[in-house]
Amino acid sequence: MPELPEVEALSAFLDDQLVGRTVARVFPLAVSALKTYAPPLTDLEGRTVEAVGRHGKFLDITAGGLHLVVHLARAGWLRWRENLPAEPPRPGGKGPLALRLTLAEPAGAGFDLTEAGTQKRLAVYCVHDPAEVPGIARLGPDPLGPDFTPEVFAALLRGERRRLKGVLRDQGVIAGVGNAYSDEVLHAARMSPYKLAASLSDEEAARLYEALGATLREAVERSRGLAAGLLKAEKKSGLRVHGRAGQACPVCGDTVREVSFSDSALQYCPTCQTGGKLLADRRMSRLLK
Ligand SMILES: [Zn+2]
């Protein structure tokens, strides 16, 4: 799933490609992806793109006062195309194509939104104001925003009874961090994903704040200037523990471990994060009984 750094890079890439150009056609192909009906997507046609931005993990393309907002979800992606065929794509196909947007000029340029797999979660909205999108309205502060100070972060953690892993990826608390970067931030901060947020000392809250900013900024920096097609590989290559169970921790050499849940998994380094202790994995302990 693309998270803040990848969506930030996609947004910068699209800003270069789209701003000042006119939308020719918008083809919604996956009915399930379209979450709004008024104004219709066709209202974007003939409008000139003014800006491309990001709200958490949402991409926001502004054209003539309308916003095309996209949430790529777990398996969605954006493919930039220079040579799209002139004829419209066939709707209702079984393929991964969810939406196509073409530009008036240069002819053939535009992008496809695609979604792999059978779980269709990719979401597209056409609105006058991004705050009309419920997922954007409930977003917490952006961790790279100028107002996100150590004090703001400490206040978010205070009184928070949940574990750090859950708090960091809750979009209502902090915008843009998901399963991958929450693993990375906790590894960089040398903290257990199971630690209760409210139990952090002032020193620990400051350390987690530093790790959060540094991890996201590094990832944004690595992704900057990359074409849309290269972002996925770049995200993977920059991760230290996420998705690396069984491999050596690049900091201490211990084996990266995993805890599995019904629909996700977290990875961590015992030596760096839990004082060498293995976190309970219900699936594993069932197997060992
Ligand atoms: Zn380690």
Side-chain angles (χ1 to χ4, degrees):
M1 158 173 318
E3 299 178 27
L4 186 155
E6 293 77 41
V7 180
E8 176 78 23
L10 261 183
S11 148
F13 172 80
L14 287 177
D15 194 80
D16 282 348
Q17 308 292 331
L18 295 177
V19 169
R21 297 202 161 133
T22 303
V23 177
R25 304 291 306 275
V26 187
F27 303 104
L29 296 153
V31 182
S32 62
L34 188 59
K35 305 302 177 195
T36 54
Y37 299 96
L41 280 177
T42 48
D43 272 15
L44 289 161
E45 298 175 355
R47 295 184 192 238
T48 299
V49 177
E50 291 143 1
V52 182
R54 175 184 68 75
H55 312 275
K57 297 186 238 177
F58 290 84
L59 202 56
D60 179 3
I61 299 168
T62 314
L66 279 183
H67 295 258
L68 177 67
V69 173
V70 176
H71 190 264
L72 291 166
R74 193 177 284 190
W77 199 247
L78 183 146
R79 275 183 65 197
W80 181 254
R81 308 275 304 265
E82 303 277 0
N83 52 356
L84 287 164
E87 63 272 18
R90 271 194 310 142
K94 284 203 162 59
L97 189 54
L99 178 141
R100 171 169 294 169
L101 182 146
T102 65
L103 294 177
E105 210 259 327
F111 64 77
D112 283 343
L113 295 178
T114 61
E115 186 172 33
T118 51
Q119 275 194 332
K120 298 301 181 191
R121 299 236 181 101
L122 186 141
V124 176
Y125 309 79
C126 183
V127 290
H128 290 287
D129 179 350
E132 291 170 46
V133 176
I136 292 181
R138 67 175 282 271
L139 283 178
D142 193 283
L144 298 186
D147 302 334
F148 193 76
T149 60
E151 293 73 30
V152 167
F153 183 59
L156 290 174
L157 299 176
R158 222 170 285 136
E160 177 58 77
R161 314 296 303 167
R162 289 176 294 165
R163 291 164 166 174
L164 286 177
K165 174 72 182 175
V167 172
L168 286 177
R169 59 184 293 206
D170 181 342
Q171 301 305 295
V173 179
I174 300 165
V177 177
N179 198 29
Y181 287 103
S182 53
D183 280 353
E184 294 301 305
V185 167
L186 288 165
H187 179 254
R190 304 188 309 280
M191 280 177 203
S192 168
Y194 283 5
K195 196 173 175 60
L196 293 178
S199 76
L200 259 61
S201 68
D202 291 349
E203 183 276 322
E204 286 171 323
R207 176 146 49 96
L208 189 56
Y209 174 86
E210 282 301 318
L212 177 63
T215 302
L216 294 176
R217 265 183 211 102
E218 267 171 40
V220 168
E221 214 43 62
R222 278 199 312 271
S223 308
R224 199 186 297 275
L226 284 182
L230 299 172
L231 285 170
K232 260 196 254 192
E234 180 51 47
K235 175 180 180 184
K236 240 182 187 156
S237 74
L239 300 176
R240 291 177 178 156
V241 288
H242 185 78
R244 296 188 178 273
Q247 300 179 29
C249 166
V251 172
C252 73
D254 191 3
T255 304
V256 173
R257 303 286 178 159
E258 172 168 285
V259 182
S260 297
F261 305 95
S262 58
D263 65 343
S264 68
L266 68 81
Q267 287 87 30
Y268 67 101
C269 168
T271 297
C272 290
Q273 295 175 255
T274 59
K277 216 180 97 202
L278 294 188
L279 298 175
D281 182 333
R282 281 191 300 158
R283 200 180 53 166
M284 276 309 287
S285 40
R286 254 206 317 274
L287 289 173
L288 294 173
K289 258 178 203 164

